[in-house]
Amino acid sequence: MRTTHVVVVMGVAGTGKTTIGPLLADRLGVPYAEGDDFHPQANIDKMSAGIPLDDADRWPWLDAIGGWAHDRAGLGGVVSSSALKRAYRDRLRAAAPGVVFVHLTGSRELIEERMSHRQGHFMPTALLDSQFATLQPLEADEAGVAVDVAGGPEEITERAVNALSELPHAVH
C-alpha cells in the first residue's frame, strides 16, 4: 500500500504519535518525520521546565511541519504533530492543503499511565492537563479520522489504516 497523501498523526502527549507514526508510514510506503524534531530548542527547554507552550511558541513549529508537509505533497508522508487546536490544523492545511489527520484518542488515565513509562522524553506528565484543556477534536469538515489508542501498536496502526481507507478520498 502506498499513498500520495500527507498524514498528520495528532493527539495529546502520550497517545503514541512517535510509535504509531513510523508504523503507519511503513504501512503506507512513505517517509516519516518526527514532529518533535521541528521544535526549536527554546520550546524544548520550556516544556522540559514544565511550562506549556503558547500559540506564539507553536507558530514557528507548525510552520516548519507545514513546510515539510508541503514539500511532500503528491509524494506522501507521515508526520507527527499534536495539532491540538483547529487553528493549528488550519495552519498546517494552509501550508499543505491535502493533509489528512489521524487523531489518536484515549482516556486520560491510559495516556498518563503510558507517559509515566516513557524514558528520556522532554514532555512531563504534569503538562497532560494543559494538553487536554487545549485539545479541540477533529470537526466533521476536517479530513481525518479518530483512532482509539487502546491495545498494542500494531493493532492501533491497523485501525488507523482501516479508518483512512474509508475516507471519501481514501488514503491508499
Side-chain angles (χ1 to χ4, degrees), residues 57-130:
D57 298 320
R58 287 189 181 98
W59 298 135
W61 172 66
L62 289 164
D63 290 342
I65 292 171
W68 185 89
H70 174 83
D71 291 347
R72 297 298 311 165
L75 302 171
V78 174
V79 62
S80 59
S81 169
S82 52
L84 297 176
K85 288 184 180 179
R86 170 76 187 241
Y88 305 161
R89 298 188 296 273
D90 288 346
R91 193 155 181 135
L92 292 173
R93 272 190 293 274
V99 297
V100 176
F101 294 89
V102 171
H103 180 187
L104 299 179
T105 64
S107 72
R108 188 194 188 293
E109 295 74 27
L110 173 64
I111 294 166
E112 183 173 26
E113 197 270 323
R114 287 185 178 174
M115 281 183 80
S116 71
H117 291 95
R118 294 198 306 190
Q119 299 295 317
H121 194 277
F122 59 80
M123 175 68 84
T125 305
L127 288 183
L128 191 55
D129 286 336
S130 73

